[in-house]
Amino acid sequence: MEVNRVQAVASFSKNVDTIPSEFIRSEEEQPAITTLHGVVLEVPVIDLSHSDEEKLVKLIAEAAQNWGLFQVVNHGIPDEAISKLIEVGKEFFELPKEEKEVIAKTPESGIEGYGTSLQKEIDGKRGWVDHLFHKIWPPSVIDHKYWPKNPPSYREANEEYAKKVREVSDNLLKYLSLGVGLEGHEMKAAAGGDDLIYLMKINYYPPCPRPDLALGVVAHTDMSTITILVPNEVQGLQVFRDGYWYDVKYIPNALIIHIGDQIEILSNGKYKAVLHRTTVIKEKTRMSWPVFLEPPPEHEVGPISKLVNEENPSKYKTKKYKDYVYCKLNKLPQ
């Protein structure tokens, strides 16, 4: 089936001041109306090279409770590994359409592959974004047919990044575990342990003639445990806080960490998944590289038993991760 990619729509639209109606959000969503302008949110920035682990745990726990979002610096991923990840992803999206369509999603491929829509959209509206999904860890779930063959260095850059990002995620999950009074290994174990799936996504947001009317990705919380995101230099992330949408200021070379639904569930609500969305701009392409840490599909996720008692009864159902995903993507109650 021929799919109208946003990249193609953008190239048709660039010399006009309009966009197709399916991209125009309702007034309750339009960024020009709903953003608190002139205020940039400075979310917590945490230095992971901090020698005082107790202080680090406290900072991360506070950010996860009060914000659901934070940035980390001195995280141990070399700048070169991030630069290469960005470079090969950009090269893939600049290939001719026919080359990208070779790894397009199919009904059988599930989430993996090159695509445009992700979830059931209310009223048939579309986000101003194309994307590529593929799993980067563990080896047992990797299917290289969804990894671009071009550029030739794509695989090496992603394998190197996967190795480094696992070290960061292990530390973050340890600190989040300690931050709610558990032992360091317990949060990761409850989320799926060494079977946790690392799902890479590249978001490609082309220049948009009417950024005041469109959104890249609509307001959502991530389904993952945590999301570790690399942005390009173009700002665009917004967070909902105190009844308003705010722009988030990026720190160069930082990783942006989102608390996802599964950590909120495992912590029985002590940590909060962050409600966020992405905007687009007129002059430049915005891109981002989130890695979602997801439980295996058959793994059951619910509040960790040590965090449930008479004063803190269970706030969430325990269910298989695949069932959670199905409900969320199809806008069904959990």
Side-chain angles (χ1 to χ4, degrees):
M1 185 180 85
E2 180 67 17
V3 179
N4 206 1
R5 303 296 182 200
V6 176
Q7 210 169 347
V9 175
S11 63
F12 299 141
S13 307
K14 68 182 171 195
N15 298 320
V16 293
D17 194 33
T18 58
I19 54 175
S21 60
E22 66 263 31
F23 293 99
I24 298 175
R25 312 309 305 193
S26 69
E27 287 194 358
E28 290 78 47
E29 291 184 290
Q30 286 175 18
I33 299 171
T34 56
T35 301
L36 195 62
H37 297 282
V39 183
V40 175
L41 212 54
E42 300 206 10
V43 304
V45 178
I46 298 170
D47 183 345
L48 290 186
S49 66
H50 211 299
S51 57
D52 183 344
E53 188 178 86
E54 211 172 296
K55 181 87 190 293
L56 206 46
V57 167
K58 187 170 183 287
L59 289 171
I60 287 173
E62 282 175 357
Q65 283 169 18
N66 301 327
W67 291 81
L69 175 88
F70 51 97
Q71 300 185 68
V72 295
V73 294
N74 294 322
H75 41 68
I77 303 183
D79 291 352
E80 188 188 7
I82 291 176
S83 300
K84 283 185 174 167
L85 180 79
I86 289 174
E87 185 187 326
V88 296
K90 193 165 173 286
E91 282 180 39
F92 168 74
F93 275 93
E94 288 169 354
L95 291 172
K97 182 179 189 299
E98 302 67 43
E99 279 198 65
K100 294 194 288 274
E101 294 294 347
V102 169
I103 55 170
K105 288 181 179 185
T106 64
E108 297 74 48
S109 71
I111 200 159
E112 292 189 273
Y114 169 61
T116 297
S117 67
L118 178 59
Q119 59 181 2
K120 186 177 174 183
E121 275 277 22
I122 306 298
D123 303 330
K125 294 291 181 189
R126 296 177 65 191
W128 192 266
V129 63
D130 294 323
H131 60 244
L132 171 66
F133 276 104
H134 58 78
K135 293 168 188 167
I136 57 171
W137 194 261
S140 58
V141 302
I142 292 174
D143 189 339
H144 285 116
K145 75 179 178 204
Y146 301 114
W147 293 42
K149 304 283 181 288
N150 232 342
S153 54
Y154 186 91
R155 179 166 169 174
E156 185 188 348
N158 275 263
E159 286 176 344
E160 180 60 21
Y161 183 73
K163 192 165 72 183
K164 299 293 184 190
V165 84
R166 288 191 342 262
E167 294 167 16
V168 177
S169 66
D170 277 351
N171 282 328
L172 290 172
L173 288 171
K174 179 177 84 170
Y175 300 143
L176 287 166
S177 196
L178 293 168
V180 286
L182 298 169
E183 290 180 38
H185 69 281
E186 290 185 273
M187 189 72 81
K188 182 180 174 181
D194 290 338
D195 294 326
L196 268 172
I197 292 167
Y198 289 64
L199 178 66
M200 168 66 78
K201 183 186 187 191
I202 306 178
N203 289 305
Y204 185 92
Y205 308 94
C208 178
R210 295 301 305 269
D212 54 325
L213 302 178
L215 286 171
V217 177
V218 297
H220 67 288
T221 56
D222 292 347
M223 291 184 282
S224 56
T225 56
I226 56 173
T227 303
I228 299 176
L229 182 141
V230 169
N232 75 346
E233 73 289 351
V234 181
Q235 306 277 334
L237 177 65
Q238 291 193 333
V239 164
F240 192 70
R241 192 165 172 84
D242 305 325
Y244 296 98
W245 285 102
Y246 292 87
D247 293 312
V248 171
K249 182 181 174 185
Y250 302 155
I251 305 293
N253 301 320
L255 300 172
I256 300 172
I257 313 299
H258 298 174
I259 298 297
D261 297 343
Q262 305 314 304
I263 287 286
E264 180 171 322
I265 292 166
L266 289 165
S267 71
N268 201 28
K270 286 195 173 182
Y271 296 141
K272 296 283 183 279
V274 62
L275 185 63
H276 59 288
R277 69 182 187 182
T278 54
T279 58
V280 290
I281 63 169
K282 201 167 191 168
E283 303 80 24
K284 291 181 180 170
T285 294
R286 179 173 180 265
M287 294 183 73
S288 65
W289 287 257
V291 170
F292 304 97
L293 269 69
E294 302 194 327
E298 298 289 338
H299 186 76
E300 289 201 342
V301 179
I304 293 172
S305 58
K306 285 185 183 177
L307 303 178
V308 176
N309 53 41
E310 278 183 30
E311 291 84 60
N312 296 293
S314 178
K315 297 182 175 76
Y316 308 88
K317 288 180 187 166
T318 295
K319 57 165 64 176
K320 287 183 178 177
Y321 181 63
K322 68 175 186 183
D323 297 332
Y324 186 91
V325 170
Y326 179 83
C327 290
K328 181 127 178 178
L329 291 180
N330 289 286
K331 306 270 191 291
L332 300 170
Q334 287 294 348

